[in-house]
Amino acid sequence: MKTIIIVFVLLGAISGLPEEDDEFTDFLSALIEEPVQDLEVIPQTVELNEFNGTLNLHCSFVGNATNIQWLKGSSPISGAGSNLIILNVTRNDHGSYRCNVSNSVSFDISEPAEVFINYGPEDIGLKVSPSGPHHEGSNVLLTCSVQSRPSPEFLWFLNGDRLSDSKPDLRLSNIQTNQDGNYSCEAFNSKTQKMQTSQPLLVPVNERISSVVVASDPTDLVEFNSSVRLSCSASGFSPHYFWMNNGSEVTASDRVQITDGGSTLTIAKVTRPDLNLLRCHAFNYFSEDFSDPVNISIFYGPELVELTVVPSQEHYKEGSDITLSCSAVSTPPAEFQWFINESLLSHSGPELRLSNVEVNHTGNYSCRAFNKKTLIHQASRLSVISVVVESGGLPAGAIAGIVLACLAVLVLVAAGVYFLYRRKKNVKPKPKKDNKPEPRNQREERPYQMEEDVTGRRPEPRNWQGARSHQMAVTDRRPEPKNWERESSRQPDHVYETMSQIYDEI
């Protein structure tokens, strides 16, 4: 009862005081205020799109509040009471909001309320790392940057064709030339329903060196006589060239010229070593490749012409088979001709077969090789083929000795016969002394004496005339030459018979 009386007394006193007495009024208000309780911001979460919403936050509490203060983060917001209203919110309004309530007897601050302001995407950009140049086999990273809340979804495009990647980073590992082109990214904000596409970014991919090819003009060459021009080409980025021959770099000389940045090689009076494993080497700053060995026909030869006889022996028996082979180093393969004693045979080809040989096959054999491209020919060494007659199984040397001995004997016998014949022919026979006719006067004086000497008988006188005639017939008889010739001819016949017997024995 006493409390109620005090209250009425105070109210009456207050009502009777002048309005200027504020201190007393505050004193009286403090006697009747309660502490602030159950303080919170409603709503606790707000999500708005930039330029398309109004933020309305209410500071709720229990008790008397003499002061209400709004905070964004730690920054105070002025001019707001228990309700905070922001029209056409922007991304700057995004953040945490709290209210601070106080009175004379208490002070309290609310839990933060989260305000989300969605915006974007905008200011999209595309970057590549490393910046380049890029080449086959390298790794490339593309990054799409954008201003957006919340984070957008990403799409990637290559030359306008959509790729499967959907992250803000596009990684290209071991990049190939088919990945060369214009890249772009597209960002889409599902909250604002907005999207934005970047400007295309060219990502060139330099091709590694490949397909190194050598072309020649002309293609058919004659050694020591022709010149050749070789041109090298290659696929790939900025190729450079040099030439390798059998592992060593080719350099310019009086016969060799290198032009067109190294891609053209000209060789005068070409030789086989000039094209021995000749390759073109193409390269750039990150790759290299070689051509296949140059495959050009060089016509040369013939040279090293060789004649081979099978079987190889000093003499061959009649009836033997002999094969002669001729070989030569030559491109194209040589044509062959055969000779015996320097006379051309009708047979041609690398092989000459002598079947069932006879003595008339004996001679000096040779072959000659001819190259129809170089127009050069070369002959082999001579090879002697000696064919002998097989006789009684005796060795060839023995047969030859016997033949020579027989010839010697025959010559000596013939010489002796000729000598005897000449001697016999030059000696004239002497007539017997008893048959020498006497002079006529003597014969007449001694008719009987001559008769007696001749006949050994004494003639009768009546037959004197006949005896005389007989005597003359006897004394005038001379030896006939034909008898000497008959005697001389008998001796050669005997020699011939003797030689015939010797030959039959042999």
Side-chain angles (χ1 to χ4, degrees):
M1 184 69 177
K2 186 184 289 187
T3 302
I4 297 173
I5 293 172
I6 293 172
V7 172
F8 279 108
V9 170
L10 291 175
L11 289 176
I14 293 173
S15 61
L17 291 176
E19 294 181 1
E20 292 84 0
D21 195 356
D22 293 333
E23 294 181 2
F24 183 74
T25 304
D26 293 336
F27 172 75
L28 294 177
S29 297
L31 292 176
I32 62 174
E33 283 183 344
E34 296 180 3
V36 177
Q37 299 177 10
D38 300 330
L39 178 62
E40 63 176 347
V41 178
I42 299 173
Q44 282 291 299
T45 302
V46 178
E47 185 174 4
L48 298 173
N49 291 335
E50 188 178 33
F51 310 120
N52 193 29
T54 299
L55 176 61
N56 189 353
L57 297 177
H58 175 68
C59 183
S60 174
F61 59 91
V62 175
N64 297 321
T66 58
N67 185 29
I68 298 176
Q69 179 70 50
W70 287 91
L71 300 173
K72 179 178 182 291
S74 59
S75 300
I77 301 174
S78 61
S82 60
N83 292 318
L84 176 61
I85 299 174
I86 302 175
L87 302 177
N88 295 323
V89 293
T90 67
R91 68 193 67 182
N92 294 328
D93 298 324
H94 177 87
S96 298
Y97 289 82
R98 293 178 296 175
C99 67
N100 184 3
V101 179
S102 65
N103 58 22
S104 60
V105 295
S106 66
F107 173 84
D108 198 4
I109 185 169
S110 69
E111 292 294 328
E114 299 296 332
V115 176
F116 298 94
I117 306 299
N118 301 321
Y119 62 90
E122 58 188 39
D123 299 332
I124 192 169
L126 184 58
K127 295 181 180 180
V128 60
S129 179
S131 57
H134 310 289
H135 56 79
E136 281 186 305
S138 62
N139 298 324
V140 179
L141 175 63
L142 295 170
T143 302
C144 189
S145 61
V146 65
Q147 298 293 325
S148 176
R149 184 180 294 118
S151 296
E153 301 172 0
F154 291 94
L155 297 177
W156 288 92
F157 298 87
L158 173 58
N159 298 323
D161 297 328
R162 181 177 172 180
L163 302 177
S164 60
D165 297 78
S166 60
K167 296 180 179 181
D169 295 332
L170 176 62
R171 296 182 180 275
L172 303 175
S173 300
N174 192 25
I175 192 170
Q176 301 299 313
T177 53
N178 59 359
Q179 295 173 291
D180 178 290
N182 290 308
Y183 284 82
S184 61
C185 64
E186 181 182 277
F188 175 72
N189 191 324
S190 61
K191 297 296 184 178
T192 64
Q193 294 295 304
K194 293 180 181 180
M195 64 180 176
Q196 190 176 36
T197 303
S198 70
Q199 291 295 322
L201 176 63
L202 178 61
V203 179
V205 180
N206 295 331
E207 182 181 2
R208 62 168 54 96
I209 296 297
S210 63
S211 303
V212 183
V213 178
V214 175
S216 64
D217 182 26
T219 56
D220 293 337
L221 307 174
V222 177
E223 190 174 29
F224 307 116
N225 190 36
S226 300
S227 297
V228 61
R229 183 175 182 270
L230 304 172
S231 298
C232 186
S233 62
S235 298
F237 174 75
S238 185
H240 300 273
Y241 303 92
F242 66 89
W243 296 84
M244 300 289 290
N245 188 12
N246 200 23
S248 300
E249 183 175 357
V250 178
T251 57
S253 66
D254 56 344
R255 293 192 306 111
V256 178
Q257 294 181 354
I258 301 175
T259 55
D260 299 332
S263 64
T264 301
L265 176 65
T266 303
I267 304 176
K269 296 181 180 180
V270 67
T271 64
R272 276 170 280 172
D274 292 333
L275 303 182
N276 184 20
L277 291 179
L278 180 65
R279 297 172 181 261
C280 174
H281 182 192
F283 67 97
N284 58 21
Y285 74 95
F286 69 94
S287 65
E288 65 179 358
D289 197 6
F290 289 90
S291 70
D292 292 330
V294 174
N295 185 16
I296 301 178
S297 298
I298 296 183
F299 301 133
Y300 60 89
E303 55 192 41
L304 303 178
V305 180
E306 293 289 339
L307 176 58
T308 305
V309 181
V310 177
S312 177
Q313 55 194 59
E314 184 177 359
H315 301 286
Y316 300 87
K317 297 178 182 179
E318 279 191 317
S320 301
D321 294 334
I322 306 172
T323 300
L324 294 86
S325 300
C326 193
S327 63
V329 177
S330 177
T331 297
E335 300 173 354
F336 296 96
Q337 293 178 315
W338 292 90
F339 297 83
I340 180 173
N341 300 325
E342 298 184 356
S343 298
L344 179 65
L345 299 176
S346 60
H347 181 78
S348 62
E351 192 172 85
L352 175 64
R353 294 181 181 273
L354 303 178
S355 301
N356 194 24
V357 295
E358 300 177 355
V359 175
N360 58 4
H361 285 109
T362 298
N364 295 320
Y365 286 80
S366 65
C367 63
R368 185 172 67 184
F370 175 72
N371 187 320
K372 63 183 179 181
K373 292 292 186 179
T374 64
L375 303 181
I376 297 175
H377 57 78
Q378 188 179 56
S380 71
R381 60 175 176 79
L382 295 176
S383 183
V384 179
I385 301 296
S386 175
V387 182
V388 297
V389 179
E390 185 177 9
S391 55
L394 292 176
I399 295 174
I402 293 173
V403 172
L404 292 176
C406 291
L407 290 175
V409 171
L410 181 62
V411 169
L412 292 175
V413 172
V417 171
Y418 180 74
F419 176 76
L420 292 175
Y421 173 74
R422 295 291 297 176
R423 184 176 181 182
K424 291 281 185 178
K425 187 176 181 180
N426 293 332
V427 176
K428 294 182 180 181
K430 295 181 178 181
K432 293 181 179 181
K433 186 176 181 180
D434 293 341
N435 295 333
K436 184 177 179 180
E438 296 181 359
R440 172 172 288 201
N441 57 359
Q442 292 180 3
R443 286 196 308 264
E444 292 178 354
E445 293 176 0
R446 292 182 301 173
Y448 298 103
Q449 183 67 34
M450 181 64 65
E451 180 73 16
E452 183 178 2
D453 292 338
V454 174
T455 63
R457 293 181 304 175
R458 183 180 297 273
E460 295 179 2
R462 58 185 180 88
N463 292 329
W464 181 85
Q465 186 68 32
R468 183 177 179 274
S469 61
H470 177 72
Q471 182 181 358
M472 290 297 296
V474 173
T475 58
D476 291 339
R477 185 178 300 166
R478 295 179 181 179
E480 298 180 358
K482 64 181 180 179
N483 294 335
W484 288 98
E485 294 176 359
R486 183 178 299 111
E487 291 295 328
S488 299
S489 62
R490 289 177 183 176
Q491 292 181 4
D493 290 342
H494 177 71
V495 172
Y496 294 151
E497 291 176 359
T498 304
M499 291 299 300
S500 177
Q501 293 175 359
I502 294 174
Y503 179 78
D504 291 341
E505 292 177 359
I506 295 175

